[in-house]
Amino acid sequence: MSENNTHESAVTAETAETDYDAIVVGAGFSGLYLLHRLRDEFGLSVKVIEKADDVGGTWYWNRYPGARCDSESHVYCYSFNDEILEEWDWSERYPEQPEVLEYLRFVADHLDLRRDIDFEREVTSAVFDEAGGRWEITTDDGSQETARYFVSAVGCLSKPFIPDFGGVDSFEGDWYHTGKWPHEPVSFSGKRVAIIGTGATGIQVIPEVAPEAGELTVFQRTPNYAVPARNRPLDDKDREEIKRNYDEILEKAHNSGFGHPFEAAHETAEGLSNEEVEELLQPRWEEGGFRYMLTFGDLITNPETNEYVSDFIRDRIRETVNDPELGEKLVPTDHYYATKRPPLHTNYYETFNRDNVDLVDVRETPIERITPEGVRTTDADYEFDTIIYATGFDAMTGTLLQMDIRGRDGLTLEEKWSDGPKTYLGLSVHSFPNMFTITGPQSPSVLSNMPVSIEHHVEWVSETIKSLVDRDVPLIEPTKTAEDAWTEHNRQVGESTLYTEADSWYMGDNVPGKPRVFTPYVGGVDVYHDTILEAAEKDYEGFELTESTQDLGRQGEQPRLSVMEGD
Ligand code: FAD
Ligand code: NAP
């Protein structure tokens, strides 16, 4: 063997280890299913890179007391594998964090996924190499791999956010963000605890910490509309019933507007009397959970309907909280119900009847800074042993943009999205060929029961990749025209609702400096799914497909196989 040949084979061996058909970032619900589809169904080489030391995503990181699903367990799961559906038994109507995490571990083991996941590695950059038509992925250990396809499965709610209060690190007690909760048990016994934030997370954590803490002080900026979850254990009879009807239940969920197996019970509350509306709301309230939100189909488009539904909750809050003045502080009046993500609760309002729980309204007396001893508002200094930040996430785009993603001509995704996300179908971005985003901005994602939307995306992306590989089409990229049209459609649909009137993370309002744009697609899971399937059926309408691998060596212009919509 000549010296040259030896060198060549060494390079080939090296390349074989570091070059893949697809690199996927994230090993939550999305990344796990992607790996299974691409590797096991389609025989492609795949590497998943995950910064945690285990699978689970959201359910790995959010271990705070009270962390629990708001989707019902029997539909907060994968539907693609009958064995998994059959073998896994949920214990409650809404599973707690450890149970969802255990479920995802079970899936990873059942499908033998771990062997292709690199844990404790964080992707720091993804750069598209135009000459070779491949993505170069770099991780925090400095190593680099390449892939034809780069798929982000980094999640919509995975970059914890703490407002810039000042002094956070100076606090001498213990402090935690709920989205990065320690693995060891945290004791609140007899302690003076602060919880900042009353979103879906705060509303779950507050009733859990209060009974254990010596004193609990809740810092609330915006009161929320929490609806009773009405959680309960599931027994064998429930599970048998679910499993017997699983096909029908899942079919309903996958063809619904929100990915849940139920739709709005009534069209509108408009024109009805108070009594008539209450009669329709009461049974849904008794059922609990998101079923209440889906009492009327025009909740988020019709202020009259929304006002009825909001008022009903306001009355329940006033009824529950013993101290009328405190009750009034907990009643939301500045936004319509469900225009901020609607939380479910178990004993949230009841918790404020405890002697050891206090509420500080930070609209009246804003937080000035965190001090070594606690929290300083414009009105007082509060001393604490522990501070819990339930202050949410840099949602939808934060985790994606944390990676330095560069497409054609070195364009960064951050530059591209400086005025807000622009995508085609919430799946792909012009100038970023062969990149896909699972539950990306401008797809239904967080406005749905997410495993349903995740399955729709994973199936679409994996089938697209498989079809391109089979046809030897090396590049796929949405046209600018298609991207502009989808972005405009998103804007219009968003603005036809009440969502855009509220300050929310859906709009990017929670993170200073973020462009104010309604980010998820609100046209409905069913409508959206039909739309992406139709684009694929029309030979990837709205995308450009490059002709052949031979042409990739030529830098600059890329020849096109089909141009469905010109730029
Ligand atoms: P994630 O679960 O967020 O996983 C993304 C993974 O990517 C993470 O493991 C992360 O570590 C990894 N990652 C990110 N960046 C990098 C990087 N640069 N390098 C390497 N790895 C990286 N949805 C519902 O539908 N119903 C619910 O009831 C519900 N409850 C929720 C409760 C909480 C507390 C939260 C925060 C969210 C909840 N959600 C719920 C939304 C939830 O995020 C989704 O349902 C789902 O778990 C998302 O899965 P995913 O795989 O897309 O993303
Ligand atoms: P969030 O909804 O963004 O809530 C953050 C809270 O912190 C809000 O009350 C916010 O007040 C407050 N806050 C932010 N900045 C503040 C400041 N400078 N001063 C005082 N208060 C401040 O975050 P989250 O509760 O973690 O929930 C995020 C999302 O995760 C949810 O919407 C949901 O999609 C998901 N989640 C789901 C579940 C579930 O399904 N079981 C549970 C938890 C979370 P404002 O409202 O005034 O901004």
Side-chain angles (χ1 to χ4, degrees), residues 416-435:
K416 166 98 190 190
W417 285 0
S418 55
D419 297 330
K422 296 184 180 73
T423 79
Y424 178 47
L425 303 176
L427 276 162
S428 61
V429 182
H430 177 69
S431 296
F432 297 78
N434 290 8
M435 178 182 94

Side-chain angles (χ1 to χ4, degrees), residues 165-232:
F165 291 121
V168 169
D169 286 321
S170 74
F171 179 58
E172 288 168 356
D174 300 320
W175 62 271
Y176 311 95
H177 187 284
T178 48
K180 217 175 166 185
W181 198 264
H183 291 207
E184 309 73 46
V186 175
S187 170
F188 303 105
S189 181
K191 293 194 172 156
R192 297 162 303 170
V193 182
I195 298 183
I196 304 178
T198 54
T201 299
I203 282 169
Q204 287 189 326
V205 78
I206 287 163
E208 293 292 318
V209 171
E212 196 191 331
E215 293 162 24
L216 172 63
T217 307
V218 175
F219 290 84
Q220 170 191 273
R221 186 165 67 182
T222 310
N224 222 323
Y225 298 93
V227 167
R230 305 208 191 281
N231 188 32
R232 64 179 179 86

Side-chain angles (χ1 to χ4, degrees), residues 59 64 68-71 157 161 163 165 178 196-202 204 219 221-222 340-341 362-363 367 390-393 505 510:
W59 304 100
Y64 58 86
R68 187 183 286 284
C69 224
D70 279 355
S71 296
L157 295 156
F161 171 72
F165 291 121
T178 48
I196 304 178
T198 54
T201 299
Q204 287 189 326
F219 290 84
R221 186 165 67 182
T222 310
K340 286 160 93 84
R341 170 26 170 100
V362 302
R363 276 206 203 282
I367 296 173
T391 45
F393 300 88
W505 59 258
N510 62 328

Side-chain angles (χ1 to χ4, degrees), residues 49-53 61 118-122 158 399 402:
I49 302 176
E50 167 56 61
K51 70 179 170 195
D53 66 9
W61 295 106
D118 279 2
F119 292 106
E120 295 184 88
R121 284 183 76 202
E122 179 169 0
S158 49
T399 318
Q402 214 167 15

Side-chain angles (χ1 to χ4, degrees), residues 258 263-270 272-274 276-282 284 290-302 304-306 308-310 312 337:
F258 292 94
E263 293 280 17
H266 310 281
E267 215 170 289
T268 182
E270 192 172 329
L272 302 181
S273 68
N274 247 335
E276 285 168 325
V277 173
E278 291 211 356
E279 223 166 89
L280 299 177
L281 285 171
Q282 189 63 37
R284 297 294 262 198
F290 289 138
R291 288 166 197 261
Y292 176 77
M293 180 180 73
L294 287 176
T295 307
F296 297 108
D298 60 351
L299 177 78
I300 50 149
T301 51
N302 187 337
E304 190 177 328
T305 292
N306 197 300
Y308 271 126
V309 180
S310 300
F312 189 90
Y337 169 57

Side-chain angles (χ1 to χ4, degrees), residues 1-258:
M1 197 181 271
S2 75
E3 213 183 305
N4 247 357
N5 277 345
T6 314
H7 177 68
E8 265 175 33
S9 57
V11 169
T12 311
E14 173 74 8
T15 310
E17 276 172 28
T18 59
D19 187 52
Y20 300 91
D21 290 317
I23 289 181
V24 173
V25 194
F29 259 99
S30 302
L32 292 178
Y33 185 31
L34 259 171
L35 172 56
H36 171 62
R37 287 283 292 193
L38 291 168
R39 186 192 72 181
D40 304 333
E41 304 263 320
F42 297 140
L44 300 171
S45 62
V46 189
K47 165 70 67 192
V48 175
I49 302 176
E50 167 56 61
K51 70 179 170 195
D53 66 9
D54 200 358
V55 301
T58 289
W59 304 100
Y60 172 93
W61 295 106
N62 290 265
R63 295 163 187 253
Y64 58 86
R68 187 183 286 284
C69 224
D70 279 355
S71 296
E72 294 177 17
S73 53
H74 65 295
V75 288
Y76 191 75
C77 58
Y78 296 114
S79 72
F80 67 85
N81 185 303
D82 286 344
E83 268 174 34
I84 292 173
L85 283 171
E86 191 50 46
E87 280 182 36
W88 185 263
D89 284 330
W90 293 106
S91 70
E92 292 180 273
R93 180 178 177 187
Y94 308 97
E96 258 188 302
Q97 170 271 330
E99 192 171 4
V100 188
L101 181 58
E102 208 39 52
Y103 167 76
L104 290 168
R105 286 179 173 149
F106 162 77
V107 172
D109 292 337
H110 189 86
L111 300 174
D112 189 19
L113 299 177
R114 289 174 195 275
R115 67 186 152 92
D116 289 306
I117 306 173
D118 279 2
F119 292 106
E120 295 184 88
R121 284 183 76 202
E122 179 169 0
V123 171
T124 49
S125 78
V127 177
F128 181 65
D129 163 35
E130 294 197 39
R134 302 190 92 75
W135 281 90
E136 294 170 354
I137 311 296
T138 306
T139 52
D140 55 350
D141 55 7
S143 57
Q144 208 174 60
E145 280 132 318
T146 53
R148 174 73 71 204
Y149 297 97
F150 166 54
V151 190
S152 161
V154 298
C156 301
L157 295 156
S158 49
K159 183 182 175 194
F161 171 72
I162 297 183
D164 187 11
F165 291 121
V168 169
D169 286 321
S170 74
F171 179 58
E172 288 168 356
D174 300 320
W175 62 271
Y176 311 95
H177 187 284
T178 48
K180 217 175 166 185
W181 198 264
H183 291 207
E184 309 73 46
V186 175
S187 170
F188 303 105
S189 181
K191 293 194 172 156
R192 297 162 303 170
V193 182
I195 298 183
I196 304 178
T198 54
T201 299
I203 282 169
Q204 287 189 326
V205 78
I206 287 163
E208 293 292 318
V209 171
E212 196 191 331
E215 293 162 24
L216 172 63
T217 307
V218 175
F219 290 84
Q220 170 191 273
R221 186 165 67 182
T222 310
N224 222 323
Y225 298 93
V227 167
R230 305 208 191 281
N231 188 32
R232 64 179 179 86
L234 298 177
D235 60 21
D236 286 344
K237 209 163 138 256
D238 295 319
R239 284 188 284 265
E240 275 163 30
E241 174 79 8
I242 288 166
K243 286 187 181 175
R244 201 174 33 254
N245 297 304
Y246 234 152
D247 286 348
E248 196 188 321
I249 294 169
L250 293 168
E251 161 93 18
K252 250 192 200 162
H254 279 256
N255 292 297
S256 67
F258 292 94

